[in-house]
Amino acid sequence: MKFKARTHTCGELRESDIGKNVVLNGWVAIRRDLGGVIFIEMRDRYGLTQIVFEPHYNLDTHEHGKKLRSEYVISIEGKVRKRPEGTENALLTTGQIDVMVDKLIILNSSETPPFPIEDNIEASEELRLKYRYLDLRRSDMQKNLLLRHKMYLITRKYFDANNFIEVETPILLKSTPEGARDFLVPSRLHKGKFYALPQSPQQYKQILMVAGMDRYFQIVKCFRDEDLRADRQFEFTQIDVEMSFVDVEDIFKVVEGLMKVFYKEIMDYDISLPVQRLTYDEAMEKYGNDKPDLRFGLEMIALNDVFANSAFKVFKDSISNNGIVTGLLAKGCGDYTRNQLDNLTDFVKKLGAGGLIWMRVKENNLEAPIAKFLSDDEKKNLISKLGAQNGDLLFMLTGPKIKTLTLMGLLRLEMAKRMSLINENSKPALLWVTDFPLFEWNEETKKYSAMHHPFTSPRVEDIPLMDTDPGKVKARAYDLVLNGNEIAGGSIRIHDSELQSKMFKAIGINEEEAQEKFGMLLNAFKYGAPPHGGIAFGFDRLAMLFAGRHSIRDVIAFPKTSSGMSLMDDSPSLVDEAQLTELHLRVK
RNA sequence: GGGGUCGUAGUUCAGUUGGUUAGAACGUCUGCCUGUCACGCAGAAGGUCGCGAGUUCGAGUCUCGUCGGCCCCGCCA
């Protein structure tokens, strides 16, 4: 089918183009056939233009135009005309003009789409994913992909300007049991052996430092076979960064610089630097979360000293077992009904809490089922410590430290929702969380494991603790948090083999095992590894936040559902027996 | 692995205590209509009530199972 190259896009024509003969190519967005005259809104990536078929203007073309339906692909030639007085459409950038059609070529017809191609549609996400090519035809989604594209450019420009080099690393590599579950790829040539897809290019980027690349970055796909969430997909994109001869502050400077450029170029907003910081311990104690949302306060308060000598058995047991009592003050919520409170109790119980202690503050006293177990002093101290006033509601949780703080952190978020404390338009709350624990106690294996990864450097002053009290060792690890979302995480790495051995020993990996699992990196380190460190951004999450969305699926062209299916291509799927045989596999 | 929630026309939804022929809006189709922009008017077609069992004289509605979407906990170095 012959058609001419467009002279203009569908978002381009203005009053200054009146009188021009133009060619437009695009889709039929909306048809309004008034019988004697047909109006078509023609759409492409750039916008909408109203084209007009009129019998007096061109009888044959008008006749032909009657065939048009939604989403037909057309090419038209016509003359730009000023719209008659009073019929301009201020909602369209092209609303001052019409294109009177001289010639229409129908390049393709279309079945009626299952949902309209427009913004603010009510189609279910399931349907949108099945017909993703139609979903992506919507300007809403095209805007998101355009934003993503812009972010790739900003990223590459920024790192290039700062002397970083983008290097690609392998997609097929050795499986390492540490960390997330690997996606495995069976080897055809090596019977019974497997490659893994990268969870991140961690070891490769460190090796690039050994190779003297000095400053590396990469926009890279990573893969983790873990359950999906609104902000987690099997495959996701990182901005991966590594630098030599640096300490924490150098990394922060580079990252903050990038965030500044992002905000400036995407939102035209000047963020104030440096970004504020909290240690992991502070974040957990005040917000019950290692990625706290600081757009609102609602801080938790540790109450162990208030109840240090409490006769209340629940507190007494908890505190003597090294647990914590944490409190949360909900200002002005003293009028919550018993039903609402039962509902909140249910909320924390379902998350694993034993129960929820609540108290209404009334006439400078506390009204609650457990009030009778507390001494007058305790009540007084509790009120003053939380800064509670009449009409307030307070919550307490007690139990093992991290678990209890986490639960209260979830209640904090729930209360923030109920109290409407989260304003989506408030200024961005950027935050560094620092001094993460180096180790994490694994109850199942009864062993310590690396919280970040086993190449993370401890704080120098904590190195002696690695032998005596591993739980107390802090790492030179950090996360960047934006509005309660972890958007980047990294660490200064170990580059000294003696310290590395100590690290492996602490997490119960002997020399032989270390060589077997991490030999590539350990061998490289024998030949002059510079001190180095880095960070990796969750690119999709960042794009999601800049797009003002609540799911990374909205900024990924072809995402999977929360059960890991692709509704458009119906994967995962069964494969031929022959394929399995070739790969030396048998399905149990 | 666990919790919550949803699944009815192409789409978004309503559907009472289990009871006649399952409704509405939008969309689609047909006819009329020369300035619409949510075009209008008149009419029509369109249903495996996710799927499978069970209870019942009778199931969209109740029970069990199962599949799928979304959210969360666990998990995600």
Side-chain angles (χ1 to χ4, degrees):
Chain A
M1 213 171 308
K2 282 172 84 174
F3 63 96
K4 289 190 183 165
R6 67 180 169 216
T7 58
H8 298 79
T9 70
C10 294
E12 203 174 344
L13 294 169
R14 299 288 184 276
E15 275 187 283
S16 55
D17 297 302
I18 287 167
K20 285 182 186 165
N21 287 303
V22 298
V23 176
L24 299 180
N25 296 327
W27 284 261
V28 173
I30 288 170
R31 172 181 68 116
R32 287 182 292 269
D33 184 349
L34 274 61
V37 61
I38 303 169
F39 298 99
I40 298 287
E41 278 180 27
M42 201 170 157
R43 177 189 59 233
D44 63 13
R45 209 182 93 194
Y46 309 91
L48 293 166
T49 298
Q50 176 165 277
I51 62 174
V52 183
F53 297 81
E54 223 179 54
H56 288 324
Y57 185 82
N58 190 319
L59 188 62
D60 291 346
T61 304
H62 175 257
E63 198 58 35
H64 197 191
K66 287 181 181 171
K67 297 196 192 93
L68 295 179
R69 294 294 181 271
S70 286
E71 303 310 317
Y72 277 30
V73 186
I74 58 175
S75 177
I76 61 121
E77 289 180 58
K79 196 180 217 73
V80 182
R81 196 177 79 173
K82 184 171 171 55
R83 289 199 184 188
E85 192 72 32
T87 64
E88 302 87 354
N89 186 347
L91 299 174
L92 290 183
T93 53
T94 59
Q96 295 300 311
I97 56 97
D98 285 326
V99 176
M100 302 303 293
V101 183
D102 292 304
K103 190 175 174 196
L104 163 68
I105 301 170
I106 297 178
L107 296 169
N108 215 336
S109 62
S110 169
E111 288 186 20
T112 303
F115 52 83
I117 312 301
E118 59 193 31
D119 293 348
N120 306 316
I121 54 166
E122 285 173 0
S124 68
E125 190 167 6
E126 195 172 357
L127 203 66
R128 289 173 48 209
L129 288 174
K130 183 170 176 192
Y131 298 94
R132 193 60 160 179
Y133 35 86
L134 297 178
D135 194 31
L136 295 180
R137 207 179 274 172
R138 299 164 49 232
S139 73
D140 224 21
M141 292 300 287
Q142 297 200 338
K143 243 185 330 204
N144 292 345
L145 294 186
L146 209 67
L147 167 73
R148 234 186 124 103
H149 167 73
K150 196 171 169 186
M151 288 175 62
Y152 296 138
L153 294 184
I154 291 168
T155 302
R156 293 207 159 99
K157 193 175 146 209
Y158 175 82
F159 282 108
D160 177 62
N162 285 283
N163 254 330
F164 285 76
I165 312 172
E166 183 161 16
V167 181
E168 288 186 80
T169 50
I171 290 293
L172 296 174
L173 37 78
K174 186 187 172 94
S175 173
T176 51
E178 296 275 319
R181 194 175 294 111
D182 277 331
F183 275 101
L184 293 178
V185 179
S187 165
R188 175 179 56 87
L189 296 176
H190 301 276
K191 183 174 178 178
K193 292 186 176 176
F194 295 82
Y195 300 96
L197 304 181
Q199 298 175 23
S200 86
Q202 186 58 41
Q203 294 189 51
Y204 286 95
K205 70 173 171 178
Q206 290 191 243
I207 278 178
L208 286 170
M209 294 303 107
V210 181
M213 298 311 294
D214 190 67
R215 295 184 146 208
Y216 144 96
F217 86 104
Q218 185 184 186
I219 297 176
V220 60
K221 268 286 181 80
C222 302
F223 306 84
R224 292 177 191 175
D225 189 2
E226 299 291 346
D227 287 3
L228 298 83
R229 287 282 198 288
D231 64 349
R232 272 163 39 190
Q233 286 267 308
F234 283 154
E235 42 181 314
F236 59 100
T237 304
Q238 284 190 348
I239 306 171
D240 197 38
V241 180
E242 196 76 9
M243 302 161 74
S244 291
F245 309 109
V246 291
D247 206 334
V248 176
E249 297 300 326
D250 303 292
I251 309 273
F252 282 14
K253 208 171 276 175
V254 167
V255 168
E256 291 180 1
L258 177 63
M259 290 310 294
K260 193 169 181 65
V261 180
F262 270 142
Y263 265 102
K264 187 66 193 169
E265 297 204 10
I266 295 167
M267 317 284 270
D268 193 25
Y269 179 82
D270 290 300
I271 58 169
S272 55
L273 296 180
V275 167
Q276 67 168 311
R277 302 177 191 185
L278 278 179
T279 66
Y280 169 85
D281 286 342
E282 289 167 338
M284 288 309 293
E285 189 167 312
K286 287 185 179 172
Y287 306 101
N289 198 322
D290 62 4
K291 48 178 167 63
D293 190 341
L294 297 194
R295 284 175 299 177
F296 57 94
L298 202 62
E299 288 181 16
M300 298 151 45
I301 293 175
L303 298 169
N304 282 39
D305 48 351
V306 174
F307 299 109
N309 302 307
S310 183
F312 182 36
K313 193 169 175 334
V314 178
F315 287 165
K316 203 167 130 184
D317 290 355
S318 186
I319 289 172
S320 65
N321 283 323
N322 242 334
I324 192 168
V325 182
T326 176
L328 186 77
L329 182 75
K331 279 259 161 236
C333 292
D335 57 353
Y336 269 40
T337 63
R338 186 58 193 253
N339 189 38
Q340 282 172 296
L341 294 165
D342 285 349
N343 189 278
L344 285 165
T345 303
D346 225 40
F347 174 82
V348 291
K349 274 187 172 173
K350 274 178 182 153
L351 294 171
L356 176 66
I357 298 166
W358 53 264
M359 298 180 146
R360 297 191 184 102
V361 188
K362 271 192 184 165
E363 282 146 32
N364 299 314
N365 209 335
L366 294 169
E367 179 192 285
I370 74 137
K372 58 178 177 284
F373 300 114
L374 303 185
S375 70
D376 287 347
D377 261 4
E378 284 171 336
K379 289 183 194 169
K380 207 178 81 199
N381 290 336
L382 182 60
I383 290 174
S384 79
K385 183 107 188 177
L386 289 174
Q389 291 170 324
N390 288 337
D392 291 348
L393 178 65
L394 61 90
F395 296 109
M396 285 186 279
L397 285 172
T398 188
K401 196 167 176 182
I402 294 297
K403 184 186 169 189
T404 304
L405 289 172
T406 302
L407 286 167
M408 190 57 111
L410 291 166
L411 181 63
R412 170 180 177 264
L413 289 175
E414 177 64 20
M415 287 308 295
K417 265 183 225 155
R418 294 187 184 216
M419 296 165 74
S420 305
L421 296 180
I422 305 173
N423 173 7
E424 296 289 346
N425 298 318
S426 58
K427 64 175 196 175
L430 263 175
L431 164 75
W432 285 112
V433 177
T434 63
D435 299 310
F436 278 82
L438 185 64
F439 301 109
E440 205 169 24
W441 179 251
N442 186 324
E443 199 50 50
E444 272 172 50
T445 57
K446 302 282 175 202
K447 275 198 290 195
Y448 278 106
S449 62
M451 187 160 178
H452 189 54
H453 59 60
F455 312 109
T456 302
S457 172
R459 285 198 308 203
V460 180
E461 62 268 35
D462 292 348
I463 292 175
L465 287 170
M466 288 173 77
D467 302 313
T468 55
D469 194 355
K472 284 228 165 67
V473 181
K474 301 298 186 200
R476 288 202 273 171
Y478 33 80
D479 279 356
L480 184 65
V481 176
L482 175 54
N483 299 344
N485 297 273
E486 180 194 329
I487 55 167
S491 63
I492 300 300
R493 329 294 183 188
I494 298 170
H495 67 282
D496 171 81
S497 60
E498 205 174 310
L499 184 56
Q500 188 66 62
S501 305
K502 213 177 166 78
M503 179 71 188
F504 283 137
K505 201 175 143 200
I507 56 176
I509 295 179
N510 64 37
E511 230 163 278
E512 197 184 334
E513 229 179 321
Q515 191 60 38
E516 153 72 24
K517 288 177 176 171
F518 308 110
M520 170 174 90
L521 192 58
L522 297 180
N523 290 337
F525 277 6
K526 291 177 189 164
Y527 297 93
H532 61 287
I535 194 163
F537 286 80
F539 188 85
D540 313 272
R541 285 183 193 171
L542 212 48
M544 169 186 88
L545 293 168
F546 281 126
R549 297 306 183 112
H550 294 100
S551 162
I552 60 171
R553 292 187 300 273
D554 283 339
V555 294
I556 295 173
F558 304 106
K560 309 230 175 336
T561 67
S562 63
S563 72
M565 303 224 300
S566 174
L567 298 179
M568 194 170 61
D569 62 16
D570 200 28
S571 70
S573 60
L574 299 171
V575 296
D576 288 346
E577 196 58 41
Q579 281 178 286
L580 290 176
T581 305
E582 200 166 42
L583 294 169
H584 322 288
L585 294 178
R586 198 170 58 225
V587 176
K588 272 210 281 195

